[in-house]
Amino acid sequence: MRTRPNYLAGAAALVWLLIIGVPLYALVNTAVQPQTTYTDKGPVSIPDTVTLDNFRTVLDSGFLQYIWNTVVVAVATVAIVLALAIPISYAVVRGRGWMTKGVFRLFLLGLAIPSQAVIIPLFLIINDLGFYDTLWGIILPTAAFALPVSVLVLSGGMRDISNELYEAMALDGASPARTLLTLVVPMSKSAIATTCVFTALQAWNGFLFPLIMTQSNDNKVVTLGLYNFVSEYGSNVPALLAAVLMSAVPILVVYLFARRALVAGLMGAGGK
């Protein structure tokens, strides 16, 4: 059967490609230009000279320490979220009492609360706990605000597991903990991968909590480290965009490896 070409879809795809491609080209192009060339010709001009000096400037500014701090924040946040969200979601899916439904609704209520609305109480709590100007001051609130979405995604994935499998585990004498570890977790890989990627993105791109909860350079993350290239009298735009490129590479690699699982997990949550 001969299919007719869809010119409208092709045109729309081309427009979308331009919308994505032009800013990406400007980002990479500016990052490899000397600042004088960028100032004279702009971000989308074809560069006469390609240089890596902007990346050396970024490395000399201690940006690798900021990337390392962000990796620590992202990994610890993901670990805390998974440790809490998996058993909570399991209890929500398998529980039959009014309390489990109330807990689930309470977590859904968390989706409607913006972090800006509670930043002052959070600052006071973090300060009282002695976590101000530490990475824990970023990790704990980031994990707390990632929990509602994580419980929603994980509970959606766990509802796909049939009751017959739960009953088979019960007939074998499996405890709830064994059922969780040997049945629920292996069959919820897509939802768990989605939770990992979503939480890591939230932690990696977080700005408000690092800005409010930290002060010293030793605990800066990449979103704050970008401000090293912005001053009162001007900005080193090529170095700034080189830093943006370097900070985007690790999380882009994570996304590329987990892309299929991320889409599958989001579709599972959306269908519930």
Side-chain angles (χ1 to χ4, degrees):
M1 178 178 172
R2 187 175 181 181
T3 58
R4 298 176 59 185
N6 190 337
Y7 295 109
L8 183 60
L14 181 60
V15 171
W16 181 248
L17 182 63
L18 290 175
I19 292 173
I20 299 296
V22 171
L24 188 60
Y25 165 76
L27 172 64
V28 177
N29 187 36
T30 304
V32 297
Q33 286 191 60
Q35 188 168 10
T36 53
T37 307
Y38 163 78
T39 305
D40 293 340
K41 296 186 175 181
V44 294
S45 63
I46 298 176
D48 298 328
T49 306
V50 175
T51 179
L52 297 179
D53 288 344
N54 298 316
F55 293 94
R56 294 192 188 96
T57 302
V58 173
L59 293 176
D60 292 341
S61 70
F63 200 74
L64 286 181
Q65 178 64 41
Y66 306 151
I67 292 179
W68 172 249
N69 289 342
T70 312
V71 170
V72 172
V73 169
V75 171
T77 303
V78 169
I80 292 174
V81 168
L82 289 183
L84 295 176
I86 289 176
I88 291 172
S89 303
Y90 177 59
V92 166
V93 172
R94 297 300 297 168
R96 292 292 180 266
W98 60 270
M99 186 175 290
T100 55
K101 294 180 180 178
V103 169
F104 185 56
R105 289 169 183 165
L106 188 63
F107 272 97
L108 292 184
L109 183 63
L111 295 172
I113 300 176
S115 57
Q116 293 86 350
V118 294
I119 191 64
I120 293 177
L122 268 178
F123 173 79
L124 295 176
I125 293 171
I126 292 296
N127 194 38
D128 288 344
L129 291 174
F131 292 145
Y132 177 70
D133 200 23
T134 67
L135 294 183
W136 285 109
I138 307 172
I139 293 168
L140 294 179
T142 304
F145 275 87
L147 267 177
V149 174
S150 302
V151 171
L152 179 66
V153 172
L154 286 171
S155 60
M158 290 178 187
R159 286 194 176 96
D160 287 336
I161 303 173
S162 65
N163 286 327
E164 287 76 10
L165 292 176
Y166 286 112
E167 292 170 0
M169 292 292 293
L171 288 175
D172 286 343
S175 64
R178 183 185 163 196
T179 303
L180 174 64
L181 294 176
T182 59
L183 174 67
V184 176
V185 171
M187 297 196 69
S188 303
K189 287 181 180 177
S190 295
I192 293 174
T194 302
T195 302
C196 289
V197 174
F198 170 79
T199 305
L201 284 172
Q202 292 290 102
W204 194 273
N205 296 323
F207 179 78
L208 181 63
F209 294 141
L211 178 66
I212 301 298
M213 304 300 178
T214 61
Q215 185 179 23
S216 63
N217 284 329
D218 292 339
N219 295 312
K220 271 187 177 180
V221 294
V222 291
T223 49
L224 295 182
L226 297 178
Y227 273 91
N228 287 347
F229 308 102
V230 180
S231 68
E232 182 180 359
Y233 304 103
S235 304
N236 187 350
V237 177
L240 174 62
L241 295 188
V244 170
L245 268 180
M246 291 177 63
S247 65
V249 169
I251 201 65
L252 182 62
V253 171
V254 173
Y255 171 77
L256 289 177
F257 276 103
R259 179 174 56 86
R260 290 187 178 180
L262 175 65
V263 173
L266 290 176
M267 290 179 66
K272 302 299 175 186

